[in-house]
Amino acid sequence: MKMLEIKGGNPLNGTIRISGSKNSVVALIPAAILSTEEVTICNVPDITDTSALCEILEFLNVDVKRATESLVINSVNMENKEIPSMYTKKLRASYYFMGALLGKYKKVTMALPGGCSIGARPINLHLKGFEALGATVTNKDNIYTVEAKDLKGANIYLDFASVGATINIMLAAVLAKGTTIIDNAAKEPEIVNVATLLNNMGAKIRGAGTSSIEIVGVEKLGKCFHEVIPDRIEAGTYVILGAAVGNNLKISNIIPEHIEALTSKLEEMGVFLDIGTDYIIVSSSKNYKPVNVKTQTYPGFATDLQQPLTPLLTMCRGRSKIEETIYENRFMHIPYLNQMGADIRVKTQTSTIIGPTKLTGTDVVATDLRAGASLVIAGLMASGTTRITNVEHILRGYENIVEKLLEVGAKLELKEV
Ligand code: EPU
């Protein structure tokens, strides 16, 4: 098990370069197997979620070559086998193999996906989409089999604009016969990135990034070269860190529009941001004003950033509120922040942060990925030493987090315990 020891309280200065997006690459890797030729994906982050998906590819006899920042995936010798839970439980995004294998072979058998415990996270909308395309779904002892004689384009309305369901249905529909329309589709930038990969491979997808996506089925997908977009959640996490303890901290290689909901909230608090075309420079200041935040689907305030934002709100004079509308159980970082000296109350789906309070280092646990990011920020703000266990959650989604933070002057060490 790994533990992160942070000695907090010193200002951070320099540049943090943002890596490729976790939530894009975890869909791009399964999407690549739809091609009958080689697919090269560059700007691939070196995180454990990427490795877990590459293990699934290798299990399916797909040839994967990893270079410094790229992956070359060739599925010519691929075998469509049942994917057991030892592979699928490592991450949520293993479910993208459902859409991809169903699209390619018209049959997939795999165990339930894993991922952070932040709510019930059902996959009913994915399955309804597959059924609308003509597939039947059976579930025996948590092993799903989804199969179809033929997949036929259909009109699908999503009851909720789910990121996973939108991408999975696109993956299943690109090789189907006829036209599929997904209405109330999710609009996240990761969806546009996946649609662009598929179109580069020869698919016919229009409207990705809007709430109506049209997919005209094609017979075959081919070779392509594709780049992962910068990770907007990693970018947002470090911008928040800069507002807490930055001294001209530059967050580079980003697409600022992707985190506009965050940056406008920070500006409302009184954070001064120098926003360039592909960077943001941020410094900490005093007398931040409290704010109210409500998580929403894109382009609203990202649920993945509400946990990292929470420790910063302990600096505001007055009561801030965060209403979480996407997941039922995304407040597991709060008891630990309170142990560090915060005054935060959670009632139903809303946390109220009463400030300002000073944070002091103590022993805490990263219960999930973004809770972990929240505790890293809190540890860097706090006086004294913070020890975070269950760091494996953080390493699933933040490339070289320790190296990146050391580079800008943070004092921290990753230890085996
Ligand atoms: N939902 C259903 N039924 C479904 C699908 C979703 O009820 O069939 C519900 C979920 O339970 C949840 C809500 O809809 O309450 C949103 O789920 P969505 O499908 O949009 O999320 P996801 O695809 O499971 C992705 C990211 C999450 C991110 C959300 C929202 C990946 C691998 N995960 O999850 O990322 O929070 O979109 O933007 O792309 C993270 O990075 O920490 C993370 C959790």
Side-chain angles (χ1 to χ4, degrees), residues 16-36:
I16 297 180
R17 190 175 194 280
I18 297 307
S19 306
S21 158
K22 166 181 95 77
N23 288 345
S24 255
V25 82
V26 294
L28 296 171
I29 293 172
I33 62 115
L34 283 160
S35 170
T36 48

Side-chain angles (χ1 to χ4, degrees), residues 22-23 26 92-93 95-96 118 121-126 160-165 188 303-304 326-328 330 369-370:
K22 166 181 95 77
N23 288 345
V26 294
R92 185 88 196 141
Y95 60 29
Y96 289 132
I118 49 180
R121 307 185 83 180
I123 56 166
N124 57 314
L125 300 174
H126 305 228
F160 180 84
S162 152
V163 173
E188 273 69 0
T303 167
D304 299 341
I326 310 290
Y327 294 110
E328 317 87 83
R330 224 174 187 181
L369 169 59
R370 309 300 171 188

